Amino acid sequence: MTRGRSRDPVKVAFDIQHPAQVHLFKHAIRDLEAAGHETLVLSRDKEVTHALLDAYDIDHVSLSRRRGGLPAAILELAVREIRTALSARRFDPDVFVSRVSPPAVHAAALVGAASVVVTDTDIEDTLLGRAYHALTLPLADVICRPPDLGLTAAREKQYVLAFQELAYLHPARFSPSTEALAAHGVAVDEPYFVMRLAGWDAYHDVGRRGIDQVTMRELASYLSAHGTLYVSAEGEVPDIDGMHPLPTPPHLIHDLLYHADLYVGDSGTMSTEAAMLGTPAVRTNSTAGESDEHTFVALEREYGLLYSYRDGRDAVRKVRELVENGDTAAEWQTRRDRLLGEATDVTGELVRLVRDAARPTPG
């Protein structure tokens, strides 16, 4: 039976532990508040998470700070478990919304709230990933997932929510600004490229790897000869000739991606973001391949918006091909328009699921 309470307006808590989750949930938070509902955002100090929340004027309560190493991660999880439970007791939410987060679903169960979990990543092939799922999914009331993502959870709990990045990248939610970029020295009529280097040290990244140093240097040498190469990295940007740190604050990354001539990187999230913005996108990491996740496969095979490679040499060849002989911007926009025409309103669906979860099933 779905937990929840029959009161209106409802109280919704959001657990935000990563910069991408700020984007994923920010419009749902605004829509709920605009409709008169009350929200609480519990945050984690990781990369630019706090900077994004502040830039979007989203009030939040910071519960922990990310630290490296498995012992520190376990300690942080324990701290979040306690602090999330205490925050839930004070706020008394009807619904708790999160990614795969044991503290969030445990706190929801503690106070009798419904739990809505949104996931898009296959992490069950790692020991820590399986542990996180085992601690989270059995207590979730609604699990939003892309098509074909296999989860060890009751089917009746699962709801298909494809192309989740459109929650914040759909034209109804996002309008790129050339003026904002110009204020930070970016001229959209001059060629530039964006590279993303993920940290590959999250619990679900054990045994996986991103762009190697040889590929990194080759890409930097080639792309910097054809324009400016801006690099987004977890940590410091590598000291490699041709690489430049992002010229914009974190909340303008999608404006920068939209106007870029090409994106290349090992991040799953930013690869799909670039693709959904209609920017030629090349993704390379050890997870790419025949058993790739639905989102990557669909963006490549159905819409022609993304190219994924396990071997960095193949990625370099594709980058060269796109820069020298790529399709026109109009063609990429046509492909994006087809995706948008077939996609659902992700934020609208998420808000509906949250509202439905707040109404308990009779009996």
Side-chain angles (χ1 to χ4, degrees):
M1 181 181 73
T2 300
R3 295 183 294 273
R5 307 182 183 99
S6 295
R7 66 183 181 189
D8 199 64
V10 299
K11 302 174 75 172
V12 185
F14 286 84
D15 180 76
I16 294 181
Q17 300 192 35
H18 187 281
Q21 296 168 22
V22 179
H23 298 300
L24 177 64
F25 295 135
K26 65 185 179 184
H27 292 293
I29 294 169
R30 289 171 178 167
D31 286 3
L32 286 164
E33 291 179 344
H37 306 296
E38 188 176 353
T39 66
L40 170 69
V41 175
L42 303 177
S43 67
R44 180 187 186 214
D45 188 359
K46 173 180 167 59
E47 297 178 69
V48 297
T49 302
H50 285 178
L52 287 174
L53 289 167
D54 293 340
Y56 295 129
D57 293 322
I58 298 175
D59 292 334
H60 58 101
V61 179
S62 181
L63 298 187
S64 69
R65 181 178 183 182
R66 179 196 177 279
R67 301 185 186 278
L70 183 59
I74 293 173
L75 177 60
E76 184 196 0
L77 182 63
V79 169
R80 286 197 70 86
E81 188 83 29
I82 295 169
R83 292 178 177 174
T84 304
L86 292 173
S87 297
R89 281 198 177 279
R90 287 191 293 267
F91 183 62
D92 189 27
D94 300 285
V95 186
F96 223 119
V97 183
S98 68
R99 282 290 196 181
V100 177
S101 170
V105 296
H106 296 167
L110 179 68
V111 299
S115 178
V116 176
V117 173
V118 186
T119 183
D120 65 354
T121 305
D122 183 4
I123 62 174
E124 292 194 337
D125 62 344
T126 67
L127 179 60
L128 284 173
R130 288 194 296 272
Y132 254 62
H133 274 196
L135 291 169
T136 302
L137 300 187
L139 289 173
D141 294 286
V142 179
I143 304 168
C144 302
R145 61 164 179 81
D148 301 331
L149 179 62
L151 297 174
T152 53
R155 298 294 297 183
E156 61 269 18
K157 293 182 177 183
Q158 300 184 38
Y159 181 87
V160 175
L161 194 63
F163 302 118
Q164 293 173 11
E165 286 79 5
L166 290 180
Y168 53 94
L169 295 180
H170 192 282
R173 304 285 180 178
F174 171 70
S175 298
S177 171
T178 56
E179 293 80 6
L181 293 180
H184 293 278
V186 179
V188 300
D189 56 349
E190 296 179 2
Y192 73 85
F193 316 99
V194 175
M195 178 187 290
R196 170 64 174 173
L197 303 174
W200 296 91
D201 56 356
Y203 70 89
H204 55 263
D205 290 329
V206 175
R208 301 172 177 179
R209 63 187 186 282
I211 297 179
D212 60 73
Q213 285 287 323
V214 173
T215 301
M216 204 182 298
R217 291 180 181 280
E218 189 168 353
L219 286 169
S221 175
Y222 177 77
L223 289 174
S224 63
H226 290 79
T228 304
L229 175 60
Y230 297 121
V231 180
S232 167
E234 290 191 36
E236 296 296 323
V237 172
D239 185 18
I240 295 176
D241 288 344
M243 288 188 172
H244 301 277
L246 295 182
T248 59
H251 70 280
L252 293 179
I253 183 59
H254 299 124
D255 303 74
L256 191 71
L257 275 177
Y258 180 88
H259 290 288
D261 292 82
L262 177 139
Y263 162 87
V264 60
D266 54 16
S267 163
T269 298
M270 198 171 289
S271 297
T272 57
E273 289 174 337
M276 292 180 193
L277 289 170
T279 298
V282 178
R283 162 181 166 258
T284 177
N285 61 47
S286 64
T287 70
E290 288 300 317
S291 60
D292 223 338
E293 296 171 14
H294 169 270
T295 298
F296 303 124
V297 173
L299 287 173
E300 180 165 4
R301 299 179 185 175
E302 296 179 27
Y303 299 103
L305 289 165
L306 174 68
Y307 300 96
S308 293
Y309 301 98
R310 182 182 294 268
D311 191 324
R313 293 170 296 183
D314 294 330
V316 171
R317 281 193 288 269
K318 177 53 70 173
V319 165
R320 289 175 175 270
E321 176 187 325
L322 290 171
V323 171
E324 296 168 13
N325 306 299
D327 295 314
T328 64
E331 172 59 27
W332 284 89
Q333 189 58 52
T334 298
R335 298 176 192 179
R336 183 195 185 213
D337 289 343
R338 188 164 73 86
L339 168 67
L340 296 175
E342 298 174 3
T344 59
D345 177 6
V346 177
T347 291
E349 285 295 287
L350 180 57
V351 169
R352 181 185 65 79
L353 289 167
V354 169
R355 293 288 289 112
D356 288 347
R359 303 186 183 97
T361 303

